Amino acid sequence: MGTEELAREIAGCRLCVEAPFRRPLPHEPRPVCVLSSSARIAICGQAPGTRVHASGRPFTDPSGERLRDWMGIGEDVFYDPSRVAIVPMGFCFPGLDAKGGDLPPRRECRLHWHDRVFRAMPQLRLKIVIGAYAQDYHLGAHHRGSVRETVAAWREILDETRAEGVAAICLPHPSWRNNAWLRKNPWFERDCLPVLKREVAALLT
Ligand code: SF4
């Protein structure tokens, strides 16, 4: 199945309301993802938050601004589906927990959609992997056991995955919540981000 047909199916998905594993989604589904038959870069994140649920557009928040800065691209490229695919582990906003934090991505999404989505995009050459759920799905044996250890091993994982055909670069979430981590780990901006920018630029030309 091509990406256009698959995207249409996903847009009409009501699995988490009509046949949820446990509790149903507490609102109407609004899947937010960008599939592409030509993009060589995929942003593989977690799930939309409240702002993205409202806008229907991925990364329309300060995290998105920081991520674009990390990648060295502007909105024109970031939102060009012929060049960048955006596939979070849950396509719909999962709702909030009792403390007001985002719930984890819906498991239904991964089990029903993700293998089909990535089979439909064999042209991908770089996955930008953000967060525990995306690491778990995309890295397989390359996972280092914890999110932080995996991000710290970004260079080795990039080499290992590239040798298998689709390179993966693991990032911390670009949220302001990680500002303290970024301050404590200056190697990330010094060593990892220049490589990320180079990898992205090479695949956009
Ligand atoms: S989260 Fe995924 S599986 Fe659940 S309704 Fe949305 S698109 Fe469907």
Side-chain angles (χ1 to χ4, degrees):
M1 182 183 289
T3 50
E4 282 185 23
E5 196 179 346
L6 196 51
R8 272 197 299 277
E9 267 197 46
I10 292 169
C13 181
R14 296 184 53 76
L15 199 56
C16 295
V17 172
E18 293 176 358
F21 287 151
R22 298 179 66 192
R23 278 178 304 176
L25 199 66
H27 45 255
E28 276 298 295
R30 187 175 196 187
V32 180
C33 60
V34 178
L35 274 47
S36 172
S37 58
S38 58
R40 294 194 288 168
I41 300 167
I43 297 165
C44 305
Q46 182 144 314
T50 46
R51 281 204 206 186
V52 173
H53 181 60
S55 70
R57 205 167 184 231
F59 289 101
T60 48
D61 53 15
S63 293
E65 280 172 34
R66 180 180 262 174
L67 179 59
R68 288 185 280 279
D69 182 52
W70 285 356
M71 293 171 68
I73 59 176
E75 290 195 0
D76 55 334
V77 175
F78 189 87
Y79 290 117
D80 178 350
S82 72
R83 300 207 271 181
V84 178
I86 302 177
V87 187
M89 289 313 300
F91 298 151
C92 297
F93 170 52
L96 299 174
D97 63 21
K99 291 182 182 165
D102 288 358
L103 286 166
R106 299 289 301 206
R107 276 198 309 141
E108 293 89 338
C109 218
R110 169 179 175 160
L111 293 175
H112 192 72
W113 291 116
H114 285 68
D115 289 354
R116 295 171 67 193
V117 163
F118 285 98
R119 267 201 307 273
M121 298 195 291
Q123 80 286 352
L124 289 178
R125 287 297 167 268
L126 177 68
K127 292 177 178 175
I128 297 173
V129 180
I130 302 169
Y133 294 91
Q135 285 184 359
D136 187 48
Y137 178 78
H138 291 283
L139 297 185
H142 304 293
H143 201 287
R144 298 303 203 259
S146 74
V147 176
R148 291 191 174 181
E149 284 168 323
T150 303
V151 170
W154 67 272
R155 197 187 292 273
E156 293 81 15
I157 292 172
L158 181 63
D159 291 341
E160 294 163 10
T161 49
R162 192 198 310 282
E164 293 174 357
V166 185
I169 191 158
C170 299
L171 305 184
H173 197 281
S175 161
W176 61 267
R177 289 190 183 87
N178 276 333
N179 285 353
W181 183 90
L182 290 169
R183 275 195 300 276
K184 281 187 205 151
N185 294 275
W187 58 265
F188 174 72
E189 293 193 352
R190 184 188 63 228
D191 303 334
C192 182
L193 289 188
V195 174
L196 172 66
K197 286 185 172 75
R198 272 205 305 276
E199 295 280 336
V200 168
L203 290 171
L204 290 173
T205 53

